[in-house]
Amino acid sequence: MANTNTKFRPKKMDSGFCCNNNIVLIGFMGSGKSSVGAQLARSLSRVLLDCDTLIEQTESMRIAEIFAKIGEAGFRQKERALAEWLAHNVRNAVIATGGGLPIFYQEIRNLGVVVYLKTDFETIQARLSDEERAKRPLFVDMQKARALYEERAQSYAACAHHTIDTKGNAHDIASAIITFL
Ligand code: S3P
């Protein structure tokens, strides 16, 4: 659970902190992982790696096209392969994950210090335009998206080292994250 007062320090990989100094943002679709990640990377002069963008670039396809072509299971395989590669090869980065990554890749803590951006469903609903929802195959049907949100909430909290409420703008949230690293 959240060890919010523990100073981040290098340690061998285990269920606690791992040694690669990455900051890993998790949370439901629309919780602000990419925008907070961009701000965090700017503030800390680190590189931002966005998992969905990396998969899209590697596959030369948008996420929705990947789902249509190889299904969710195929997408999850690619997501897991990317996560394993990041865990072994990336240091000192900010990593914005896709909303399902910590659910399907339970070794998420191997990637770095895991920060859960906790956002209520109503806020997410209001934030995502129809265009943004259309990019996310698991958010096309609002009722199913809400059920998925409820189903995942506990898992996000359980795998995170820190949980932060995403009230406020990306700058404020990034500053709050920096205070407990
Ligand atoms: C997904 C979230 C999406 C993307 C894919 C599946 C999920 O990323 O990885 O559509 O299972 O929650 P964002 O959280 O960046 O929207």
Side-chain angles (χ1 to χ4, degrees):
M1 281 292 284
N3 301 321
T4 27
N5 292 322
T6 308
K7 187 92 180 143
F8 175 50
R9 58 188 174 272
K11 241 186 174 183
K12 83 181 194 359
M13 284 192 195
D14 57 14
S15 58
F17 295 110
C18 88
C19 56
N20 54 31
N21 219 27
N22 296 317
I23 303 166
V24 183
L25 301 179
I26 66 165
F28 201 67
M29 295 171 267
S31 59
K33 301 178 296 285
S34 301
S35 50
V36 172
Q39 183 57 53
L40 204 49
R42 257 195 306 277
S43 301
L44 296 172
S45 300
R46 295 195 189 198
V47 168
L48 170 68
L49 296 173
D50 185 301
C51 293
D52 283 350
T53 305
L54 288 172
I55 294 172
E56 289 184 332
Q57 288 172 346
T58 310
E59 300 301 316
S60 302
M61 273 188 280
R62 306 312 300 258
I63 297 294
E65 293 175 276
I66 299 174
F67 269 68
K69 194 169 173 204
I70 57 175
E72 181 176 353
F75 171 75
R76 297 301 173 199
Q77 277 178 11
K78 297 196 181 296
E79 199 178 36
R80 163 171 280 277
L82 172 65
E84 284 170 351
W85 187 87
L86 292 171
H88 287 106
N89 295 288
V90 171
R91 305 282 175 271
N92 301 312
V94 176
I95 300 174
T97 62
L101 195 138
I103 309 298
F104 292 90
Y105 177 72
Q106 283 159 6
E107 306 90 330
I108 185 78
R109 286 181 169 208
N110 287 347
L111 285 183
V113 178
V114 180
V115 180
Y116 169 32
L117 302 186
K118 188 176 176 190
T119 313
D120 58 64
F121 190 78
E122 284 63 36
T123 304
I124 290 173
Q125 208 174 356
R127 193 181 278 167
L128 289 182
S129 63
D130 288 351
E131 194 187 339
E132 284 300 319
R133 282 177 44 211
K135 291 179 190 167
R136 296 169 167 86
L138 301 181
F139 214 124
V140 175
D141 181 318
M142 194 66 87
Q143 275 189 334
K144 285 188 184 163
R146 182 186 285 274
L148 194 60
Y149 174 93
E150 307 287 351
E151 192 185 305
R152 287 181 176 177
Q154 285 304 315
S155 304
Y156 288 138
C159 70
H161 294 107
H162 306 286
T163 294
I164 183 152
D165 252 297
T166 62
K167 300 225 163 55
N169 59 37
H171 183 270
D172 293 342
I173 298 162
S175 302
I177 293 171
I178 289 167
T179 61
F180 59 62
L181 290 179

